[in-house]
Amino acid sequence: MNTEYLMQYISYGLHTMVKIWNRSPGAGPSPKVFCARKDLQDIYLTEDALFRFLDSHEQGGSYRSLPVLFSVNREIYYAFSPSWDLDFLIGPVRFSSPVRMNRDLEALPLSEEDVAAAPECEFSDFASHVLLVYNLLHTSFLSLNDLVTANCMDSSMDDAIMEDFSSLVFDRREQEQPHNPYDQELREFSSIEHGDIEMLRRSLQEDYTGKIGTLAKDEVRHMRNRGIVVVTLASRAAIRGGLLPEVSFSMSDVFIQRLEEESDTAVLLNMMHQFEFKYTEMVADLNSQKAGRPRKDQNPRVDQCKDYIFKHLHEKIRIQDIADELYLNANYLSEIFRQYEGLTITEFILQEKVGLTKNLLSYSPYSYSEIAAYLGFSSQSHLGKIFKKHTGMTLKQYRDQYGVREF
């Protein structure tokens, strides 16, 4: 294996230092070192301190089998990845968000300047480089979940969770406060899946003596978490109802961000139900569009085609490009799409672009020409003609009637 290239790849990727100890017979004791940054010095960890630290945490030779992630003073981070003949040390780095490691080496206090000198990266990037080294040097596969479990999860956590669970079940039984029945939840999300607005309204009005589970000790955090759960379940129900996954997931992202920005518990409750109704309305619109069409099982190629269209709505979409992406003949793709959807691919593309134009006119401050350019139309007038054909309104008429004034 080309270890020099691997060292360079990691060093450039994380902007840090990489050291390799060769454990083969006859190899010298000193490590090979590569650092693309000439200004970076490892002032946080000596070689002696490293191996004393690893030996002190060894349990039956465990550190010789899996990568060891550890911190220095809970501020600077390293990864030691062993194999039979090569040992890699990656670091120092600091993370943009705090990450708790099971192992911490207490060293002399570090100044703010010392800590700031270490390169910053995301934990996910750091972990991916560690996994790359380990999986190249071993025949067994190590996943991110395995790496985090071995290095960041407290072994006593499972016992603590089960203790809390037992206590909660006992308290609820003593107080006769069970959760609300599951069949209410089934009706709630089934109504979204079927686009049944009235059924959703009735399910939300049902009254029970049980209570909603506690998702956080802080009431605002509890309501936000509850909203995130509801939006997540609603988005999946809408997908089952026919909404494109990419559309549903994008809406979920926006809804959850809005929940995170709100701190009024009454407003949070109202918002989560509004989002449920929005999903239900979109499924209902899909059902009304399909009304009168012959009932057929959906074709996965048609779903893939629609997914491609949504991801490229801001471009000028050519049927040949979709066909090439799906490794299909363009005429064949056009035919099966028309059979299953009751309209041509071009008609579907324009329908989706008009729908997105409505949202942009209602909720964004962008000019008509900016919207036309964003959606891949040749000009504002071209978009205007298509939009009026589908809605019976000009761009200005629609914005004047439905546009939100405050941005």
Side-chain angles (χ1 to χ4, degrees):
M1 183 175 64
N2 190 340
T3 55
E4 291 190 5
Y5 174 78
L6 183 58
M7 293 176 73
Q8 293 181 32
Y9 177 85
I10 297 169
S11 179
Y12 279 104
L14 298 175
H15 309 292
T16 191
M17 188 176 297
V18 182
K19 297 180 181 179
I20 293 182
W21 285 267
N22 191 332
R23 300 300 179 188
S24 301
S30 300
K32 182 186 295 185
V33 182
F34 182 85
C35 184
R37 284 183 52 185
K38 301 304 180 186
D39 61 327
L40 179 63
Q41 301 294 323
D42 190 356
I43 59 174
Y44 317 95
L45 182 67
T46 66
E47 185 175 334
D48 288 342
L50 167 67
F51 287 105
R52 281 200 308 272
F53 175 72
L54 293 173
D55 288 337
S56 69
H57 286 81
E58 181 179 9
Q59 296 177 351
S62 61
Y63 93 72
R64 299 300 308 166
S65 58
L66 291 175
V68 175
L69 309 185
F70 64 95
S71 56
V72 174
N73 292 351
R74 301 288 181 194
E75 295 178 297
I76 303 297
Y77 298 87
Y78 292 84
F80 181 82
S81 184
S83 71
W84 290 111
D85 55 353
L86 294 175
D87 292 341
F88 274 72
L89 180 69
I90 302 172
V93 299
R94 54 190 172 90
F95 297 138
S96 48
S97 300
V99 177
R100 180 193 172 280
M101 299 295 181
N102 290 342
R103 303 173 183 87
D104 179 68
L105 190 160
E106 294 186 6
L108 293 174
L110 300 172
S111 67
E112 291 184 5
E113 291 77 10
D114 290 338
V115 174
E120 182 180 83
C121 68
E122 298 286 345
F123 174 75
S124 57
D125 291 338
F126 185 71
S128 67
H129 284 81
V130 175
L131 290 171
L132 174 66
V133 170
Y134 180 88
N135 288 316
L136 284 175
L137 297 177
H138 295 77
T139 55
S140 59
F141 174 74
L142 184 69
S143 69
L144 176 60
N145 184 62
D146 296 331
L147 183 68
V148 172
T149 299
N151 290 280
C152 304
M153 301 298 291
D154 188 345
S155 59
S156 63
M157 186 177 296
D158 287 344
D159 293 336
I161 289 174
M162 292 310 298
E163 183 179 338
D164 290 344
F165 169 72
S166 299
S167 175
L168 179 63
V169 170
F170 179 80
D171 289 344
R172 285 188 179 279
R173 187 172 298 162
E174 287 291 300
Q175 298 169 19
E176 296 184 348
Q177 286 188 330
H179 285 84
N180 280 346
Y182 178 53
D183 59 338
Q184 184 279 330
E185 181 180 308
L186 288 177
R187 286 189 288 275
E188 181 176 341
F189 294 103
S190 176
S191 63
I192 297 173
E193 180 178 348
H194 293 92
D196 191 331
I197 296 173
E198 186 55 36
M199 180 180 173
L200 175 62
R201 184 174 290 110
R202 289 199 302 269
S203 71
L204 294 176
Q205 291 172 348
E206 294 179 25
D207 183 35
Y208 296 98
T209 57
K211 67 179 291 188
I212 300 295
T214 302
L215 305 182
K217 294 179 180 178
D218 176 76
E219 181 63 19
V220 175
R221 184 68 261 170
H222 159 74
M223 288 300 296
R224 285 176 182 153
N225 290 345
R226 181 180 166 192
I228 291 170
V229 171
V230 168
V231 168
T232 300
L233 293 174
S235 69
R236 272 58 177 178
I239 291 171
R240 294 194 299 274
L243 196 63
L244 287 174
E246 196 63 35
V247 175
S248 188
F249 292 151
S250 296
M251 289 176 60
S252 174
D253 293 344
V254 173
F255 291 160
I256 290 173
Q257 289 174 32
R258 291 294 300 273
L259 290 170
E260 288 292 341
E261 294 168 1
E262 182 55 58
S263 57
D264 186 304
T265 55
V267 174
L268 283 166
L269 178 63
N270 182 267
M271 286 172 65
M272 86 174 72
H273 292 327
Q274 281 187 358
F275 298 153
E276 287 185 281
F277 278 107
K278 184 62 178 175
Y279 274 121
T280 310
E281 290 167 3
M282 295 187 74
V283 175
D285 288 343
L286 285 174
N287 291 339
S288 65
Q289 291 172 17
K290 295 176 181 177
R293 298 181 193 168
R295 184 75 176 176
K296 299 185 181 75
D297 292 332
Q298 188 56 285
N299 187 301
R301 292 299 196 182
V302 173
D303 287 339
Q304 291 170 354
C305 177
K306 291 161 71 175
D307 197 46
Y308 178 95
I309 289 169
F310 180 79
K311 290 178 180 178
H312 296 80
L313 274 179
H314 61 286
E315 305 170 10
K316 185 174 182 179
I317 305 173
R318 297 171 60 249
I319 296 175
Q320 186 61 55
D321 293 337
I322 305 175
D324 291 343
E325 180 74 15
L326 302 182
Y327 300 101
L328 292 175
N329 176 275
N331 291 332
Y332 171 73
L333 176 61
S334 297
E335 180 59 26
I336 62 172
F337 192 95
R338 186 187 61 77
Q339 288 178 358
Y340 281 87
E341 292 298 313
L343 70 168
T344 67
I345 294 177
T346 300
E347 290 169 341
F348 180 82
I349 293 170
L350 292 178
Q351 173 184 287
E352 292 300 307
K353 290 199 174 193
V354 167
L356 187 51
T357 300
K358 288 180 180 179
N359 283 339
L360 291 171
L361 290 172
S362 298
Y363 303 114
S364 82
Y366 299 121
S367 68
Y368 307 133
S369 59
E370 288 174 327
I371 294 173
Y374 174 74
L375 294 176
F377 286 95
S378 58
S379 64
Q380 175 184 325
S381 61
H382 183 206
L383 170 60
K385 290 177 182 178
I386 297 296
F387 189 83
K388 187 168 185 178
K389 180 180 177 181
H390 281 76
T391 66
M393 303 173 71
T394 66
L395 299 172
K396 184 177 185 304
Q397 287 170 338
Y398 191 90
R399 173 164 274 174
D400 287 345
Q401 184 166 343
Y402 299 107
V404 176
R405 297 296 186 273
E406 298 83 11
F407 297 106

